mmCIF file of all heavy atoms in Angstrom:
data_model
loop_
_atom_site.group_PDB
_atom_site.id
_atom_site.type_symbol
_atom_site.label_atom_id
_atom_site.label_comp_id
_atom_site.label_asym_id
_atom_site.label_seq_id
_atom_site.Cartn_x
_atom_site.Cartn_y
_atom_site.Cartn_z
ATOM 1 N N PRO L 1 11.884 -24.495 7.775
ATOM 2 C CA PRO L 1 10.616 -23.763 7.885
ATOM 3 C C PRO L 1 9.459 -24.713 8.143
ATOM 4 O O PRO L 1 9.493 -25.879 7.723
ATOM 5 C CB PRO L 1 10.479 -23.080 6.519
ATOM 6 C CG PRO L 1 11.279 -23.928 5.587
ATOM 7 C CD PRO L 1 12.422 -24.465 6.402
ATOM 8 N N PRO L 2 8.423 -24.248 8.843
ATOM 9 C CA PRO L 2 7.254 -25.109 9.066
ATOM 10 C C PRO L 2 6.466 -25.311 7.781
ATOM 11 O O PRO L 2 6.638 -24.572 6.803
ATOM 12 C CB PRO L 2 6.442 -24.316 10.102
ATOM 13 C CG PRO L 2 6.836 -22.893 9.866
ATOM 14 C CD PRO L 2 8.279 -22.927 9.451
ATOM 15 N N ALA L 3 5.614 -26.319 7.804
ATOM 16 C CA ALA L 3 4.786 -26.602 6.635
ATOM 17 C C ALA L 3 3.658 -25.567 6.549
ATOM 18 O O ALA L 3 2.801 -25.505 7.422
ATOM 19 C CB ALA L 3 4.215 -28.008 6.722
ATOM 20 N N ILE L 4 3.689 -24.740 5.518
ATOM 21 C CA ILE L 4 2.681 -23.702 5.310
ATOM 22 C C ILE L 4 2.168 -23.812 3.878
ATOM 23 O O ILE L 4 2.957 -23.961 2.934
ATOM 24 C CB ILE L 4 3.267 -22.293 5.541
ATOM 25 C CG1 ILE L 4 3.883 -22.176 6.918
ATOM 26 C CG2 ILE L 4 2.186 -21.228 5.367
ATOM 27 C CD1 ILE L 4 4.535 -20.834 7.170
ATOM 28 N N SER L 5 0.860 -23.752 3.726
ATOM 29 C CA SER L 5 0.279 -23.850 2.395
ATOM 30 C C SER L 5 0.570 -22.589 1.597
ATOM 31 O O SER L 5 0.806 -21.509 2.157
ATOM 32 C CB SER L 5 -1.233 -24.069 2.491
ATOM 33 O OG SER L 5 -1.875 -22.916 3.028
ATOM 34 N N TRP L 6 0.519 -22.725 0.275
ATOM 35 C CA TRP L 6 0.738 -21.571 -0.599
ATOM 36 C C TRP L 6 -0.358 -20.528 -0.408
ATOM 37 O O TRP L 6 -0.105 -19.324 -0.521
ATOM 38 C CB TRP L 6 0.791 -22.021 -2.051
ATOM 39 C CG TRP L 6 2.071 -22.709 -2.411
ATOM 40 C CD1 TRP L 6 2.266 -24.046 -2.607
ATOM 41 C CD2 TRP L 6 3.353 -22.100 -2.588
ATOM 42 N NE1 TRP L 6 3.582 -24.313 -2.901
ATOM 43 C CE2 TRP L 6 4.280 -23.122 -2.899
ATOM 44 C CE3 TRP L 6 3.805 -20.787 -2.518
ATOM 45 C CZ2 TRP L 6 5.619 -22.881 -3.142
ATOM 46 C CZ3 TRP L 6 5.160 -20.537 -2.769
ATOM 47 C CH2 TRP L 6 6.041 -21.573 -3.073
ATOM 48 N N VAL L 7 -1.555 -20.986 -0.093
ATOM 49 C CA VAL L 7 -2.666 -20.057 0.120
ATOM 50 C C VAL L 7 -2.394 -19.185 1.350
ATOM 51 O O VAL L 7 -2.609 -17.963 1.334
ATOM 52 C CB VAL L 7 -3.986 -20.823 0.281
ATOM 53 C CG1 VAL L 7 -5.131 -19.866 0.645
ATOM 54 C CG2 VAL L 7 -4.316 -21.585 -0.992
ATOM 55 N N SER L 8 -1.915 -19.814 2.408
ATOM 56 C CA SER L 8 -1.607 -19.059 3.622
ATOM 57 C C SER L 8 -0.463 -18.077 3.389
ATOM 58 O O SER L 8 -0.516 -16.919 3.837
ATOM 59 C CB SER L 8 -1.244 -20.017 4.754
ATOM 60 O OG SER L 8 -0.905 -19.301 5.936
ATOM 61 N N LEU L 9 0.564 -18.523 2.674
ATOM 62 C CA LEU L 9 1.681 -17.631 2.369
ATOM 63 C C LEU L 9 1.221 -16.445 1.521
ATOM 64 O O LEU L 9 1.610 -15.301 1.765
ATOM 65 C CB LEU L 9 2.778 -18.400 1.629
ATOM 66 C CG LEU L 9 3.799 -19.166 2.472
ATOM 67 C CD1 LEU L 9 4.783 -19.892 1.570
ATOM 68 C CD2 LEU L 9 4.528 -18.242 3.429
ATOM 69 N N ALA L 10 0.370 -16.721 0.527
ATOM 70 C CA ALA L 10 -0.123 -15.646 -0.327
ATOM 71 C C ALA L 10 -0.979 -14.667 0.454
ATOM 72 O O ALA L 10 -0.897 -13.451 0.249
ATOM 73 C CB ALA L 10 -0.922 -16.227 -1.492
ATOM 74 N N ALA L 11 -1.785 -15.168 1.388
ATOM 75 C CA ALA L 11 -2.642 -14.298 2.184
ATOM 76 C C ALA L 11 -1.807 -13.375 3.072
ATOM 77 O O ALA L 11 -2.076 -12.171 3.167
ATOM 78 C CB ALA L 11 -3.598 -15.140 3.031
ATOM 79 N N HIS L 12 -0.784 -13.936 3.719
ATOM 80 C CA HIS L 12 0.074 -13.099 4.558
ATOM 81 C C HIS L 12 0.934 -12.164 3.714
ATOM 82 O O HIS L 12 1.257 -11.056 4.140
ATOM 83 C CB HIS L 12 0.958 -13.982 5.446
ATOM 84 C CG HIS L 12 0.210 -14.631 6.575
ATOM 85 N ND1 HIS L 12 -0.381 -15.867 6.450
ATOM 86 C CD2 HIS L 12 -0.055 -14.202 7.840
ATOM 87 C CE1 HIS L 12 -0.964 -16.190 7.590
ATOM 88 N NE2 HIS L 12 -0.787 -15.201 8.439
ATOM 89 N N GLY L 13 1.324 -12.622 2.533
ATOM 90 C CA GLY L 13 2.050 -11.740 1.631
ATOM 91 C C GLY L 13 1.196 -10.576 1.177
ATOM 92 O O GLY L 13 1.679 -9.443 1.061
ATOM 93 N N LEU L 14 -0.085 -10.834 0.939
ATOM 94 C CA LEU L 14 -0.994 -9.764 0.530
ATOM 95 C C LEU L 14 -1.201 -8.765 1.658
ATOM 96 O O LEU L 14 -1.331 -7.555 1.421
ATOM 97 C CB LEU L 14 -2.329 -10.362 0.092
ATOM 98 C CG LEU L 14 -3.339 -9.385 -0.501
ATOM 99 C CD1 LEU L 14 -2.779 -8.741 -1.762
ATOM 100 C CD2 LEU L 14 -4.656 -10.104 -0.813
ATOM 101 N N TRP L 15 -1.233 -9.251 2.901
ATOM 102 C CA TRP L 15 -1.320 -8.360 4.060
ATOM 103 C C TRP L 15 -0.148 -7.381 4.047
ATOM 104 O O TRP L 15 -0.320 -6.169 4.248
ATOM 105 C CB TRP L 15 -1.323 -9.202 5.337
ATOM 106 C CG TRP L 15 -1.307 -8.443 6.624
ATOM 107 C CD1 TRP L 15 -0.296 -7.647 7.110
ATOM 108 C CD2 TRP L 15 -2.340 -8.385 7.608
ATOM 109 N NE1 TRP L 15 -0.624 -7.114 8.330
ATOM 110 C CE2 TRP L 15 -1.873 -7.549 8.655
ATOM 111 C CE3 TRP L 15 -3.598 -8.965 7.721
ATOM 112 C CZ2 TRP L 15 -2.638 -7.292 9.794
ATOM 113 C CZ3 TRP L 15 -4.350 -8.707 8.863
ATOM 114 C CH2 TRP L 15 -3.883 -7.878 9.873
ATOM 115 N N TYR L 16 1.042 -7.901 3.836
ATOM 116 C CA TYR L 16 2.232 -7.067 3.745
ATOM 117 C C TYR L 16 2.105 -6.066 2.603
ATOM 118 O O TYR L 16 2.409 -4.875 2.749
ATOM 119 C CB TYR L 16 3.443 -7.977 3.539
ATOM 120 C CG TYR L 16 4.729 -7.291 3.132
ATOM 121 C CD1 TYR L 16 5.665 -6.904 4.089
ATOM 122 C CD2 TYR L 16 5.021 -7.053 1.791
ATOM 123 C CE1 TYR L 16 6.850 -6.293 3.715
ATOM 124 C CE2 TYR L 16 6.198 -6.435 1.409
ATOM 125 C CZ TYR L 16 7.110 -6.069 2.377
ATOM 126 O OH TYR L 16 8.276 -5.451 1.996
ATOM 127 N N SER L 17 1.647 -6.544 1.447
ATOM 128 C CA SER L 17 1.528 -5.699 0.265
ATOM 129 C C SER L 17 0.557 -4.550 0.494
ATOM 130 O O SER L 17 0.870 -3.387 0.206
ATOM 131 C CB SER L 17 1.064 -6.542 -0.932
ATOM 132 O OG SER L 17 0.780 -5.724 -2.047
ATOM 133 N N VAL L 18 -0.622 -4.852 1.015
ATOM 134 C CA VAL L 18 -1.637 -3.817 1.216
ATOM 135 C C VAL L 18 -1.151 -2.759 2.202
ATOM 136 O O VAL L 18 -1.342 -1.552 1.993
ATOM 137 C CB VAL L 18 -2.954 -4.460 1.693
ATOM 138 C CG1 VAL L 18 -3.951 -3.393 2.140
ATOM 139 C CG2 VAL L 18 -3.564 -5.304 0.584
ATOM 140 N N THR L 19 -0.499 -3.202 3.268
ATOM 141 C CA THR L 19 -0.012 -2.242 4.267
ATOM 142 C C THR L 19 1.045 -1.324 3.676
ATOM 143 O O THR L 19 0.989 -0.096 3.829
ATOM 144 C CB THR L 19 0.563 -2.990 5.482
ATOM 145 O OG1 THR L 19 -0.414 -3.891 6.000
ATOM 146 C CG2 THR L 19 0.961 -2.004 6.572
ATOM 147 N N LEU L 20 2.012 -1.912 2.989
ATOM 148 C CA LEU L 20 3.094 -1.109 2.418
ATOM 149 C C LEU L 20 2.581 -0.149 1.357
ATOM 150 O O LEU L 20 2.918 1.043 1.355
ATOM 151 C CB LEU L 20 4.154 -2.034 1.814
ATOM 152 C CG LEU L 20 5.357 -1.365 1.144
ATOM 153 C CD1 LEU L 20 6.097 -0.463 2.126
ATOM 154 C CD2 LEU L 20 6.306 -2.401 0.558
ATOM 155 N N LEU L 21 1.730 -0.637 0.466
ATOM 156 C CA LEU L 21 1.234 0.221 -0.606
ATOM 157 C C LEU L 21 0.254 1.265 -0.089
ATOM 158 O O LEU L 21 0.120 2.343 -0.680
ATOM 159 C CB LEU L 21 0.582 -0.628 -1.705
ATOM 160 C CG LEU L 21 1.519 -1.594 -2.425
ATOM 161 C CD1 LEU L 21 0.811 -2.268 -3.589
ATOM 162 C CD2 LEU L 21 2.785 -0.892 -2.909
ATOM 163 N N ALA L 22 -0.427 0.979 1.010
ATOM 164 C CA ALA L 22 -1.303 1.985 1.601
ATOM 165 C C ALA L 22 -0.493 3.165 2.126
ATOM 166 O O ALA L 22 -0.872 4.332 1.943
ATOM 167 C CB ALA L 22 -2.135 1.363 2.726
ATOM 168 N N ILE L 23 0.641 2.871 2.770
ATOM 169 C CA ILE L 23 1.492 3.948 3.287
ATOM 170 C C ILE L 23 2.088 4.756 2.138
ATOM 171 O O ILE L 23 2.022 5.993 2.120
ATOM 172 C CB ILE L 23 2.599 3.371 4.179
ATOM 173 C CG1 ILE L 23 1.999 2.655 5.393
ATOM 174 C CG2 ILE L 23 3.538 4.483 4.650
ATOM 175 C CD1 ILE L 23 3.019 1.907 6.230
ATOM 176 N N LEU L 24 2.656 4.049 1.161
ATOM 177 C CA LEU L 24 3.255 4.746 0.021
ATOM 178 C C LEU L 24 2.205 5.498 -0.788
ATOM 179 O O LEU L 24 2.419 6.643 -1.207
ATOM 180 C CB LEU L 24 3.978 3.740 -0.880
ATOM 181 C CG LEU L 24 5.186 3.011 -0.283
ATOM 182 C CD1 LEU L 24 5.741 2.010 -1.288
ATOM 183 C CD2 LEU L 24 6.262 3.985 0.145
ATOM 184 N N GLY L 25 1.068 4.834 -1.019
ATOM 185 C CA GLY L 25 0.025 5.461 -1.821
ATOM 186 C C GLY L 25 -0.566 6.694 -1.160
ATOM 187 O O GLY L 25 -0.779 7.716 -1.834
ATOM 188 N N CYS L 26 -0.830 6.628 0.128
ATOM 189 C CA CYS L 26 -1.373 7.803 0.824
ATOM 190 C C CYS L 26 -0.368 8.950 0.820
ATOM 191 O O CYS L 26 -0.757 10.119 0.719
ATOM 192 C CB CYS L 26 -1.768 7.428 2.247
ATOM 193 S SG CYS L 26 -3.281 6.447 2.330
ATOM 194 N N HIS L 27 0.897 8.633 0.938
ATOM 195 C CA HIS L 27 1.929 9.674 0.869
ATOM 196 C C HIS L 27 1.860 10.399 -0.477
ATOM 197 O O HIS L 27 1.801 11.638 -0.523
ATOM 198 C CB HIS L 27 3.304 9.046 1.062
ATOM 199 C CG HIS L 27 4.427 10.029 1.017
ATOM 200 N ND1 HIS L 27 5.140 10.394 2.141
ATOM 201 C CD2 HIS L 27 4.967 10.724 -0.016
ATOM 202 C CE1 HIS L 27 6.062 11.287 1.791
ATOM 203 N NE2 HIS L 27 5.981 11.489 0.483
ATOM 204 N N GLU L 28 1.844 9.639 -1.551
ATOM 205 C CA GLU L 28 1.822 10.266 -2.871
ATOM 206 C C GLU L 28 0.493 10.959 -3.158
ATOM 207 O O GLU L 28 0.461 12.015 -3.797
ATOM 208 C CB GLU L 28 2.112 9.220 -3.951
ATOM 209 C CG GLU L 28 3.479 8.582 -3.859
ATOM 210 C CD GLU L 28 4.606 9.605 -3.869
ATOM 211 O OE1 GLU L 28 4.441 10.677 -4.488
ATOM 212 O OE2 GLU L 28 5.646 9.329 -3.250
ATOM 213 N N LEU L 29 -0.600 10.395 -2.677
ATOM 214 C CA LEU L 29 -1.893 11.049 -2.869
ATOM 215 C C LEU L 29 -1.975 12.355 -2.084
ATOM 216 O O LEU L 29 -2.686 13.278 -2.490
ATOM 217 C CB LEU L 29 -3.028 10.109 -2.456
ATOM 218 C CG LEU L 29 -3.313 8.959 -3.422
ATOM 219 C CD1 LEU L 29 -4.360 8.021 -2.839
ATOM 220 C CD2 LEU L 29 -3.777 9.498 -4.779
ATOM 221 N N GLY L 30 -1.266 12.425 -0.963
ATOM 222 C CA GLY L 30 -1.204 13.694 -0.244
ATOM 223 C C GLY L 30 -0.588 14.780 -1.106
ATOM 224 O O GLY L 30 -1.106 15.905 -1.190
ATOM 225 N N HIS L 31 0.522 14.456 -1.775
ATOM 226 C CA HIS L 31 1.122 15.406 -2.712
ATOM 227 C C HIS L 31 0.165 15.720 -3.862
ATOM 228 O O HIS L 31 0.014 16.879 -4.261
ATOM 229 C CB HIS L 31 2.416 14.819 -3.295
ATOM 230 C CG HIS L 31 3.521 14.659 -2.312
ATOM 231 N ND1 HIS L 31 3.914 15.656 -1.448
ATOM 232 C CD2 HIS L 31 4.355 13.598 -2.062
ATOM 233 C CE1 HIS L 31 4.930 15.226 -0.716
ATOM 234 N NE2 HIS L 31 5.211 13.983 -1.070
ATOM 235 N N TYR L 32 -0.469 14.676 -4.392
ATOM 236 C CA TYR L 32 -1.328 14.837 -5.577
ATOM 237 C C TYR L 32 -2.510 15.759 -5.282
ATOM 238 O O TYR L 32 -2.788 16.689 -6.051
ATOM 239 C CB TYR L 32 -1.816 13.466 -6.031
ATOM 240 C CG TYR L 32 -2.862 13.514 -7.124
ATOM 241 C CD1 TYR L 32 -2.515 13.842 -8.431
ATOM 242 C CD2 TYR L 32 -4.201 13.228 -6.837
ATOM 243 C CE1 TYR L 32 -3.473 13.889 -9.439
ATOM 244 C CE2 TYR L 32 -5.162 13.273 -7.835
ATOM 245 C CZ TYR L 32 -4.798 13.597 -9.129
ATOM 246 O OH TYR L 32 -5.753 13.648 -10.114
ATOM 247 N N TYR L 33 -3.211 15.522 -4.183
ATOM 248 C CA TYR L 33 -4.396 16.337 -3.887
ATOM 249 C C TYR L 33 -4.010 17.754 -3.456
ATOM 250 O O TYR L 33 -4.787 18.691 -3.656
ATOM 251 C CB TYR L 33 -5.254 15.652 -2.839
ATOM 252 C CG TYR L 33 -6.071 14.525 -3.417
ATOM 253 C CD1 TYR L 33 -5.809 13.202 -3.081
ATOM 254 C CD2 TYR L 33 -7.088 14.778 -4.329
ATOM 255 C CE1 TYR L 33 -6.546 12.166 -3.630
ATOM 256 C CE2 TYR L 33 -7.832 13.748 -4.884
ATOM 257 C CZ TYR L 33 -7.562 12.446 -4.527
ATOM 258 O OH TYR L 33 -8.287 11.424 -5.086
ATOM 259 N N ALA L 34 -2.823 17.895 -2.890
ATOM 260 C CA ALA L 34 -2.356 19.256 -2.603
ATOM 261 C C ALA L 34 -2.097 20.003 -3.908
ATOM 262 O O ALA L 34 -2.397 21.203 -4.018
ATOM 263 C CB ALA L 34 -1.090 19.215 -1.746
ATOM 264 N N CYS L 35 -1.550 19.305 -4.896
ATOM 265 C CA CYS L 35 -1.377 19.928 -6.223
ATOM 266 C C CYS L 35 -2.726 20.301 -6.822
ATOM 267 O O CYS L 35 -2.883 21.385 -7.408
ATOM 268 C CB CYS L 35 -0.633 18.973 -7.155
ATOM 269 S SG CYS L 35 1.118 18.758 -6.798
ATOM 270 N N ARG L 36 -3.696 19.417 -6.688
ATOM 271 C CA ARG L 36 -5.029 19.725 -7.208
ATOM 272 C C ARG L 36 -5.622 20.952 -6.500
ATOM 273 O O ARG L 36 -6.297 21.777 -7.134
ATOM 274 C CB ARG L 36 -5.941 18.510 -7.006
ATOM 275 C CG ARG L 36 -5.595 17.298 -7.837
ATOM 276 C CD ARG L 36 -5.953 17.505 -9.302
ATOM 277 N NE ARG L 36 -7.383 17.727 -9.456
ATOM 278 C CZ ARG L 36 -8.289 16.758 -9.625
ATOM 279 N NH1 ARG L 36 -7.883 15.491 -9.674
ATOM 280 N NH2 ARG L 36 -9.567 17.039 -9.774
ATOM 281 N N TYR L 37 -5.372 21.064 -5.210
ATOM 282 C CA TYR L 37 -5.906 22.200 -4.449
ATOM 283 C C TYR L 37 -5.360 23.519 -4.983
ATOM 284 O O TYR L 37 -6.073 24.520 -5.055
ATOM 285 C CB TYR L 37 -5.542 22.030 -2.970
ATOM 286 C CG TYR L 37 -5.989 23.178 -2.094
ATOM 287 C CD1 TYR L 37 -7.303 23.262 -1.641
ATOM 288 C CD2 TYR L 37 -5.092 24.177 -1.722
ATOM 289 C CE1 TYR L 37 -7.715 24.319 -0.835
ATOM 290 C CE2 TYR L 37 -5.492 25.235 -0.925
ATOM 291 C CZ TYR L 37 -6.809 25.298 -0.484
ATOM 292 O OH TYR L 37 -7.210 26.348 0.303
ATOM 293 N N TYR L 38 -4.075 23.510 -5.357
ATOM 294 C CA TYR L 38 -3.452 24.725 -5.888
ATOM 295 C C TYR L 38 -3.529 24.800 -7.415
ATOM 296 O O TYR L 38 -2.850 25.632 -8.020
ATOM 297 C CB TYR L 38 -2.002 24.807 -5.424
ATOM 298 C CG TYR L 38 -1.866 25.215 -3.975
ATOM 299 C CD1 TYR L 38 -1.608 24.277 -2.983
ATOM 300 C CD2 TYR L 38 -2.010 26.550 -3.595
ATOM 301 C CE1 TYR L 38 -1.491 24.639 -1.648
ATOM 302 C CE2 TYR L 38 -1.894 26.928 -2.269
ATOM 303 C CZ TYR L 38 -1.645 25.975 -1.299
ATOM 304 O OH TYR L 38 -1.532 26.356 0.025
ATOM 305 N N ASP L 39 -4.333 23.937 -8.016
ATOM 306 C CA ASP L 39 -4.555 23.949 -9.466
ATOM 307 C C ASP L 39 -3.243 23.779 -10.227
ATOM 308 O O ASP L 39 -2.967 24.480 -11.204
ATOM 309 C CB ASP L 39 -5.251 25.247 -9.890
ATOM 310 C CG ASP L 39 -5.890 25.123 -11.277
ATOM 311 O OD1 ASP L 39 -6.190 23.977 -11.675
ATOM 312 O OD2 ASP L 39 -6.059 26.155 -11.947
#
């Protein structure tokens, strides 16, 4: 592997994390707010 700093790895890892959790989170929030709509 090429020489990469821990800061750079963490930054790219966070990019992955935010993208994945945004997709999963929006999916679940869609269910949640639909439940709220129907009380």
Side-chain angles (χ1 to χ4, degrees):
I4 304 177
S5 67
W6 285 105
V7 174
S8 178
L9 275 179
H12 286 90
L14 186 61
W15 176 294
Y16 168 94
S17 173
V18 170
T19 305
L20 179 58
L21 297 186
I23 298 173
L24 296 177
C26 286
H27 180 108
E28 297 304 330
L29 286 174
H31 293 311
Y32 172 74
Y33 282 112
C35 288
R36 292 287 299 271
Y37 177 81
Y38 285 101
D39 198 24

